[in-house]
């Protein structure tokens, strides 16, 4: 049995997230249908994570198995013909038979975009804020995330996660356009709703409604009710998933 990693991107606007849902279309479901059509059998696909409804990915990774070796270029081309326009595959590569798209990932990176301007072509991919934000204060608050590993305060309640421990390696706001800022965060793993809750709480810091020490207290209380409101998912992008080189089969 040969295992393969699929590298793909998707616009999450019309999907109920990555994971298959009983009452809505998901990215995972579309990818499994395309693979099943191509391989003429039922195919199980496992993703690197579960993006929420409306969240996008410029890079998501998933794995599947096949009994025979595949022409990866042909698989890529065929899948792109079968998938809808808002999902695209840009690479399929063989990996070790025990490689796992979710559990072997060493780091994941998300970006969240906010803008202070009304612009019709950004409305699906930017969160518009109407107040003046102090991004220097927000960055100083974001730096406190490195001092902690338990992020219960930023996790969706009643999930199936066995632990709320994460290691955050990067968290920073940067200006990318005159009216647009992006929050980039990298960690070994993320909890459900974690990035959106962190951004929502940092916006409270930027508005002057929460101090930097208050942000630290939110983390330490390990209580979701103490954190800010989660920001909408449409401005959030999964942009990278990293793996050890030893997982990949050289061709």
């Amino acid at each position: 049995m040969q295992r393969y990693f699929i590298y793909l991107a998707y616009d999450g606007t019309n999907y109920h997230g990555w994971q298959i849902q009983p009452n809505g279309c998901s990215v995972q479901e579309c990818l499994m249908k395309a693979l099943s059509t191509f391989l003429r059998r039922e195919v199980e696909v496992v993703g690197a994570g579960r993006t929420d409804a409306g969240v996008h990915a410029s890079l998501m990774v998933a794995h599947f198995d096949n009994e025979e070796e595949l022409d990866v270029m042909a698989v890529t081309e065929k899948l792109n013909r079968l998938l809808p326009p808002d999902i695209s595959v840009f690479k399929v590569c063989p990996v070790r038979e025990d490689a796992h798209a979710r559990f072997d990932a060493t780091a994941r990176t998300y970006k969240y975009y906010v803008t202070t301007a009304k612009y019709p072509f950004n409305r699906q991919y930017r969160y518009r804020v109407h107040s003046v934000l102090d991004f220097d204060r927000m960055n100083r608050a974001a730096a406190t995330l490195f001092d902690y590993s338990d992020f219960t305060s930023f996790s969706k309640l009643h999930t199936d996660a066995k632990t709320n421990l994460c290691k955050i390696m990067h968290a920073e706001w940067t200006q990318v356009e005159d009216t647009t800022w992006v929050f980039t965060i990298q960690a070994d793993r993320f909890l459900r709703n974690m990035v959106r809750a962190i951004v929502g709480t940092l916006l409270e810091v930027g508005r002057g409604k929460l101090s930097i020490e208050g942000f630290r207290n939110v983390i330490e209380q390990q209580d979701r009710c103490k954190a800010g409101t989660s920001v909408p998912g449409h401005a959030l992008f999964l942009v990278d998933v990293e793996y050890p080189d030893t997982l990949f089969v050289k061709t």
Side-chain angles (χ1 to χ4, degrees):
M1 189 70 72
Q2 177 62 60
R3 179 158 290 183
Y4 294 89
F5 272 9
I6 301 177
Y7 286 75
L8 66 151
Y10 53 85
D11 181 327
T13 303
N14 296 321
Y15 298 96
H16 289 246
W18 161 264
Q19 192 173 27
I20 289 178
Q21 303 290 332
N23 57 353
C25 184
S26 71
V27 179
Q28 183 184 30
E29 179 184 5
C30 288
L31 184 58
M32 286 173 60
K33 284 182 177 178
L35 267 172
S36 298
T37 299
F38 173 62
L39 297 175
R40 299 181 180 180
R41 63 175 180 83
E42 293 295 316
V43 180
E44 184 71 22
V45 171
V46 178
R50 298 185 296 187
T51 54
D52 293 335
V55 176
H56 318 289
S58 57
L59 190 152
M60 166 65 94
V61 183
H63 76 247
F64 73 97
D65 296 326
N66 197 60
E67 291 185 359
E68 301 174 354
E69 289 190 9
L70 297 169
D71 180 339
V72 293
M73 295 297 291
V75 176
T76 301
E77 181 179 353
K78 186 63 175 180
L79 287 179
N80 280 324
R81 291 181 182 179
L82 293 168
L83 288 165
D86 49 10
I87 303 176
S88 66
V89 172
F90 51 89
K91 184 171 68 173
V92 177
C93 57
V95 293
R96 289 185 348 215
E97 65 178 14
D98 61 343
H100 198 285
R102 179 183 175 189
F103 297 132
D104 285 328
T106 57
R108 298 164 174 85
T109 305
Y110 282 88
K111 290 182 180 290
Y112 194 91
Y113 292 85
V114 300
T115 182
T116 57
K118 181 180 181 180
Y119 188 56
F121 306 107
N122 274 346
R123 68 188 189 280
Q124 285 183 297
Y125 311 108
R126 304 287 186 269
Y127 176 49
R128 187 183 175 199
V129 293
H130 299 274
S131 53
V132 176
L133 298 174
D134 186 333
F135 286 96
D136 179 63
R137 275 171 52 92
M138 291 159 69
N139 270 333
R140 282 185 283 141
T144 67
L145 292 167
F146 306 136
D147 297 335
Y148 300 92
S149 57
D150 189 320
F151 295 102
T152 300
S153 293
F154 301 124
S155 174
K156 186 174 182 178
L157 300 175
H158 312 303
T159 70
D160 57 1
K162 295 181 174 61
T163 174
N164 288 338
L165 301 181
C166 309
K167 180 183 178 182
I168 295 179
M169 290 87 86
H170 183 86
E172 183 182 24
W173 289 93
T174 55
Q175 189 170 12
V176 291
E177 297 170 5
D178 288 345
T179 59
T180 303
W181 290 73
V182 58
F183 179 63
T184 304
I185 184 166
Q186 182 187 62
D188 59 345
R189 63 189 291 265
F190 286 92
L191 309 173
R192 292 283 303 279
N193 204 50
M194 178 173 166
V195 180
R196 292 164 58 196
I198 288 175
V199 172
T201 310
L202 286 173
L203 290 179
E204 293 295 286
V205 175
R207 294 180 178 116
K209 296 181 178 180
L210 183 67
S211 67
I212 296 172
E213 191 59 33
F215 183 81
R216 185 184 290 276
N217 290 338
V218 166
I219 303 173
E220 292 179 351
Q221 289 182 75
Q222 298 178 14
D223 182 350
R224 178 65 185 90
C225 296
K226 303 299 182 182
T229 303
S230 295
V231 288
H234 71 276
L236 180 61
F237 290 75
L238 174 63
V239 300
D240 197 19
V241 186
E242 298 179 21
Y243 297 94
D245 291 338
T246 54
L247 294 184
F248 299 89
V249 175
K250 294 183 179 179
T251 56

